[in-house]
Amino acid sequence: MTEIKYDLHSHSHYSDGELSPTQLVLRAKEHGVNTLALTDHDTVAGLAEAQLAATEQDINLITGIELSCEWSKKPFHILGLNIDPNNAELLAGTQRLQVIRLERAKKIAAKLEKNKIPGAWEAVQASAGTGMITRPHFANFLLENNHVSSIQNAFDRYLGQGKPAFVSTQWVELENAIQWIQAAGGVAVVAHPMRYRLTASWMRRFLAAFKEYGGEGIEVITARSNPDEVRRVIQFAKQFELYGSMGSDFHTPKNQWVELGRLAPLPENIRPVWELFD
Ligand code: AMP
Ligand code: MN
Ligand code: MN
Ligand code: MN
């Protein structure tokens, strides 16, 4: 029996990933991942292509999404795993998020223009194509036009919170995001819990709300989590009786720190989220 190697968090060019769904699946195959979730930001548009490639490559594709939401006015990312991509309620939710993203993108472009950087709107529309417009699209535009020295620099100087082109955005409510995932038969999972920089008491308040609304899982293993963070997340998971997930959050082959197929195994003292997949 071959070992099952999971990666339940990744992106394609339907959001801010660099690869097409087909290229992503091929790369997963090359790197030994045999159960892959494509979880683009706020869209299911890449899943049909990913499914075709996965069938071809004998990879088990978990249909997924990463929803941008907020709770207590703070932004969070919630993964929906094993969703029905044709569910009407989920699709209506992604349409709401697409509008929010479009309006935000226009405002980001206007702010850049005020900072003497014209042309962003046209550029990100062209680079995003039919996919979601994300801040990395703006970062790429800034880098390609030599306004910044790196993608990180683009966030530090223009796009990050409190910077000149930052647009504070009202995403959808956490409760709605979880509701849509559940309507689509999926499992709601907190993405990269350590990236929100919450104090332990805020984390507990957030997880209590997440659980109350029907959330079931939390990402325990990510590409960049250290052993101490893993231990802390496991403690939270146990306290709130959440299932553990693992995902690289792969976006691009250019980031040497985040690659498919390199995740540590899920610790054995936590129940794996895939027990909930039919
Ligand atoms: P958005 O959802 O449009 O606000 O874009 C968020 C995405 O930007 C995340 O999913 C990351 O892929 C990327 N991102 C956020 N912060 C940074 C950063 N400091 N450097 C590089 N990429 C980032
Ligand atoms: Mn992203
Ligand atoms: Mn995220
Ligand atoms: Mn992600």
Side-chain angles (χ1 to χ4, degrees), residues 16-59:
D16 56 353
E18 185 175 317
L19 304 180
S20 68
T22 303
Q23 290 167 326
L24 177 75
V25 166
L26 285 171
R27 195 173 183 91
K29 180 86 180 179
E30 278 168 25
H31 288 256
V33 172
N34 47 30
T35 302
L36 174 75
L38 172 60
T39 54
D40 273 314
H41 296 285
D42 307 321
T43 180
V44 295
L47 291 174
E49 182 187 327
Q51 185 60 69
L52 283 176
T55 304
E56 188 108 319
Q57 298 299 325
D58 199 22
I59 282 197

Side-chain angles (χ1 to χ4, degrees), residues 76-115:
F76 291 91
H77 284 176
I78 303 298
L79 299 168
L81 297 179
N82 209 26
I83 50 168
D84 169 8
N86 298 312
N87 176 266
E89 202 174 332
L90 177 65
L91 288 173
T94 64
Q95 271 159 24
R96 258 176 72 184
L97 280 158
Q98 187 156 25
V99 172
I100 292 170
R101 282 192 171 277
L102 267 175
E103 295 306 313
R104 178 180 75 146
K106 283 181 201 159
K107 289 181 191 162
I108 294 175
K111 285 193 165 187
L112 285 172
E113 194 146 353
K114 271 195 191 144
N115 283 270

Side-chain angles (χ1 to χ4, degrees), residues 8-271:
L8 300 178
H9 188 166
S10 70
H11 296 271
S12 78
H13 68 194
Y14 282 92
S15 65
D16 56 353
E18 185 175 317
L19 304 180
S20 68
T22 303
Q23 290 167 326
L24 177 75
V25 166
L26 285 171
R27 195 173 183 91
K29 180 86 180 179
E30 278 168 25
H31 288 256
V33 172
N34 47 30
T35 302
L36 174 75
L38 172 60
T39 54
D40 273 314
H41 296 285
D42 307 321
T43 180
V44 295
L47 291 174
E49 182 187 327
Q51 185 60 69
L52 283 176
T55 304
E56 188 108 319
Q57 298 299 325
D58 199 22
I59 282 197
N60 180 19
L61 183 84
I62 304 298
T63 48
I65 193 164
E66 182 174 15
L67 293 175
S68 310
C69 62
E70 61 185 35
W71 171 79
S72 213
K73 300 212 159 64
K74 301 180 202 305
F76 291 91
H77 284 176
I78 303 298
L79 299 168
L81 297 179
N82 209 26
I83 50 168
D84 169 8
N86 298 312
N87 176 266
E89 202 174 332
L90 177 65
L91 288 173
T94 64
Q95 271 159 24
R96 258 176 72 184
L97 280 158
Q98 187 156 25
V99 172
I100 292 170
R101 282 192 171 277
L102 267 175
E103 295 306 313
R104 178 180 75 146
K106 283 181 201 159
K107 289 181 191 162
I108 294 175
K111 285 193 165 187
L112 285 172
E113 194 146 353
K114 271 195 191 144
N115 283 270
K116 302 194 170 51
I117 302 178
W121 175 241
E122 293 72 18
V124 298
Q125 267 192 307
S127 65
T130 59
M132 290 288 177
I133 304 179
T134 67
R135 280 186 292 165
H137 289 96
F138 284 96
N140 279 323
F141 160 78
L142 290 169
L143 182 60
E144 279 166 15
N145 291 280
N146 301 315
H147 296 292
V148 296
S149 57
S150 67
I151 295 293
Q152 182 59 49
N153 189 232
F155 278 87
D156 292 345
R157 280 178 61 191
Y158 293 105
L159 303 169
Q161 187 165 4
K163 304 301 172 185
F166 180 78
V167 172
S168 123
T169 306
Q170 214 180 331
W171 299 105
V172 301
E173 285 294 329
L174 171 69
E175 185 174 6
N176 295 128
I178 295 172
Q179 164 61 32
W180 302 336
I181 290 166
Q182 293 199 314
V187 178
V189 175
V190 178
H192 41 64
M194 286 300 154
R195 222 184 287 164
Y196 309 115
R197 303 182 176 285
L198 301 178
T199 61
S201 73
W202 270 104
M203 180 70 94
R204 282 192 287 269
R205 259 178 278 174
F206 164 66
L207 291 177
F210 174 75
K211 178 91 182 177
E212 188 192 318
Y213 298 144
E216 293 173 281
I218 188 166
E219 236 172 24
V220 171
I221 301 292
T222 76
R224 310 188 82 155
S225 39
N226 63 45
D228 181 56
E229 289 173 331
V230 172
R231 268 193 299 275
R232 276 154 59 202
V233 176
I234 286 182
Q235 276 179 3
F236 287 125
K238 287 195 179 300
Q239 185 178 351
F240 291 92
E241 296 178 332
L242 297 170
Y243 289 75
S245 187
M246 53 191 287
S248 63
D249 204 2
F250 176 85
H251 283 74
T252 166
K254 286 180 192 139
N255 183 345
Q256 55 170 324
W257 306 108
V258 179
E259 183 53 271
L260 297 164
R262 281 209 218 127
L263 291 173
L266 193 68
E268 281 178 3
N269 59 353
I270 183 128
R271 296 189 73 174

